[in-house]
Amino acid sequence: MKYQYYKPAILNHTKLIQYIEGINDRRCFTNNGPLVRELKERLEAYLGVKNLLLVSSGTVALQVAYKALGLKGKIITTPLSFVATASAYKWLNQNLCFADIDLDTLNLDPSGVTKHTSLSCDDAVVATHLYGNPCDIATFKRLSLRFENKTIYDASHAFATRYGGKSVLSEGDASVISFHATKLFHTIEGGGIVFASNEDYKRAEKMVNFGFDHQGQVMEVGINAKMSELHAAVGLTVLDDIELMVEQRCEMVEHYLTCLASYGIAFPKRQEGVDRYSPSYMPLILESPKERDLLCDMLREEGIETRKYFEGLLHKQTAFTRLSVNLPKAEIIENRLLCLPLYMDLKKADITYICEQVVVILNKIRQKRLAEKTC
């Protein structure tokens, strides 16, 4: 394969070895060690947030956030997200409900939340900043005040997104992020939660360490969700170069858009009021599922790997079929999304070539379709 869909950024070997040697010298491998504390402090400073809790995965981060916020009713979430957004709550044997999306941004539509569901003060809204594009944060704030419920953002795609002059991770009662190796910033495996309330942060801090408080007393039921020193070492190594990576990948995305914009290819609409988008994905919206599948297959034949991200809506997955609901907007977009390669090794000439192949292939597909219609 000439162009993979994604390659994690190469780690600075020298820096990583230095961190690992320090871990060995201290004989401290986990349990909120010095590197975990350093990573927390440096991430809070870089992102401009408070109450950041580091954990072992993005999925666990969702589960801990749901528990720490004391959610008791149903969560209302999007059908267009990675499965963990929904399954993390279902895993806790809690009530789950899907609402429709906005056809422009592809994010959870606030009007869909109120139209297809009945909100109460016990319920919570869980919205994903899909592809790093922020949700309609202002409207969700108004809904939260009106119904006195919680808002949680799955910000796994939005590490570098800035909205209204600040990190999008500072929005909501909690913002959850994944640090998986496929993400812009990663610790190989890991995740984080940014809480609006220090009280919620302190509660979650106990939960991720079996429920122990600082005196070693088990104050409530918890789990083991701690991040290890080794994973923190990887995060610190990546963080040293993160701003350069963000800038370079922003340039890559803009070059994609420049190359493809004049060919009538659709993209998710960018939310207004955003200072910077997290350059995590390069999604296209194709005219039909068949066109998406043909483009994917034909690009692969040319040595270009893509990803059907996401394929299938969550409310139609076997695990959630009992939650059947009519979501007409989401079904319009179903199986029409395709993400192009985006990683640090790509050069401007590579992106130009990929775009040329996309255009050539789409022209062939559409010309053939038109010929079949006229026969």
Side-chain angles (χ1 to χ4, degrees):
M1 186 64 64
K2 185 177 180 181
Y3 297 108
Q4 294 177 220
Y5 167 69
Y6 183 77
K7 297 178 185 177
I10 296 174
L11 299 175
N12 185 309
H13 181 265
T14 302
K15 289 181 181 179
L16 182 59
I17 290 299
Q18 289 174 346
Y19 282 124
I20 292 174
E21 287 176 347
I23 293 171
N24 276 331
D25 290 343
R26 290 186 294 271
R27 301 293 194 273
C28 177
F29 296 98
T30 187
N31 290 335
N32 197 33
L35 294 189
V36 170
R37 297 195 299 272
E38 181 183 349
L39 181 60
K40 165 188 163 61
E41 292 171 2
R42 286 187 56 189
L43 281 172
E44 286 184 334
Y46 174 75
L47 296 167
V49 300
K50 298 179 180 179
N51 301 321
L52 169 62
L53 181 65
L54 300 179
V55 293
S56 56
S57 76
T59 302
V60 167
L62 285 163
Q63 292 173 332
V64 170
Y66 295 157
K67 291 285 284 186
L69 292 173
L71 304 188
K72 298 176 182 178
K74 64 178 178 291
I75 70 162
I76 303 159
T77 191
T78 173
L80 192 59
S81 184
F82 186 63
V83 64
T85 310
S87 64
Y89 199 60
K90 197 66 176 174
W91 183 267
L92 300 174
N93 292 318
Q94 300 289 354
N95 189 14
L96 184 66
C97 179
F98 292 102
D100 219 340
I101 63 169
D102 177 87
L103 270 179
D104 291 327
T105 65
L106 309 187
N107 286 325
L108 185 66
D109 188 347
S111 66
V113 170
T114 54
K115 179 179 179 181
H116 295 287
T117 63
S118 56
L119 275 171
S120 75
C121 61
D122 290 330
D123 297 332
V125 173
V126 179
T128 298
H129 301 307
L130 193 67
Y131 305 131
N133 190 24
C135 299
D136 186 351
I137 291 171
T139 303
F140 281 124
K141 280 183 180 179
R142 290 194 291 271
L143 286 179
S144 180
L145 290 171
R146 177 183 172 187
F147 293 99
E148 299 182 338
N149 54 21
K150 304 287 186 182
T151 303
I152 300 99
Y153 290 110
D154 184 336
S156 294
H157 298 178
F159 175 82
T161 299
R162 297 189 63 79
Y163 172 84
K166 59 184 179 179
S167 169
V168 76
L169 299 175
S170 62
E171 300 292 346
D173 294 281
S175 283
V176 175
I177 192 161
S178 169
F179 298 148
H180 186 265
T182 57
K183 298 299 185 287
L184 177 62
F185 170 82
H186 76 92
T187 59
I188 299 179
E189 290 281 1
I193 316 163
V194 177
F195 289 98
S197 161
N198 183 254
E199 182 181 347
D200 292 332
Y201 166 80
K202 291 295 184 183
R203 186 181 306 112
E205 189 180 32
K206 298 184 183 74
M207 286 181 176
V208 302
N209 188 28
F210 304 101
F212 288 120
D213 65 9
H214 294 296
Q215 285 74 46
Q217 298 296 311
V218 181
M219 303 304 294
E220 56 186 302
V221 175
I223 57 173
N224 180 12
K226 301 185 298 294
M227 177 179 284
S228 78
E229 286 289 274
L230 287 167
H231 289 93
V234 172
L236 288 165
T237 304
V238 175
L239 188 58
D240 285 341
D241 299 317
I242 191 63
E243 193 59 25
L244 177 62
M245 292 166 59
V246 170
E247 290 176 1
Q248 290 182 353
R249 287 172 61 116
C250 280
E251 291 175 1
M252 292 178 193
V253 170
E254 290 305 315
H255 189 56
Y256 263 123
L257 294 173
T258 299
C259 290
L260 294 173
S262 61
Y263 291 96
I265 297 173
F267 314 98
K269 182 181 178 181
R270 293 184 169 187
Q271 186 68 263
E272 295 181 1
V274 178
D275 306 303
R276 182 175 72 181
Y277 293 88
S278 194
S280 301
Y281 302 92
M282 186 56 233
L284 309 180
I285 305 174
L286 283 310
E287 292 183 355
S288 68
K290 182 178 180 180
E291 182 177 85
R292 190 276 307 268
D293 291 345
L294 285 171
L295 178 60
C296 178
D297 292 342
M298 295 171 75
L299 284 173
R300 186 183 300 112
E301 292 173 2
E302 298 298 325
I304 301 170
E305 183 182 8
T306 59
R307 183 67 56 83
K308 299 174 182 178
Y309 199 61
F310 298 94
E311 183 170 25
L313 299 171
L314 290 182
H315 72 291
K316 293 186 175 182
Q317 303 298 320
T318 301
F320 308 117
T321 50
R322 286 177 293 177
L323 307 173
S324 180
V325 62
N326 182 32
L327 305 177
K329 293 180 182 178
E331 291 179 10
I332 289 173
I333 210 71
E334 184 177 15
N335 299 329
R336 289 172 54 198
L337 297 169
L338 190 70
C339 289
L340 299 178
L342 188 64
Y343 50 89
M344 292 302 295
D345 295 353
L346 283 177
K347 307 299 182 187
K348 190 173 183 179
D350 296 323
I351 293 173
T352 300
Y353 172 77
I354 292 169
C355 291
E356 289 171 348
Q357 295 305 306
V358 169
V359 171
V360 168
I361 292 170
L362 280 180
N363 282 338
K364 288 180 180 178
I365 293 171
R366 292 173 182 179
Q367 287 171 6
K368 182 179 179 182
R369 185 177 66 225
L370 182 61
E372 289 173 348
K373 284 184 178 180
T374 56
C375 288

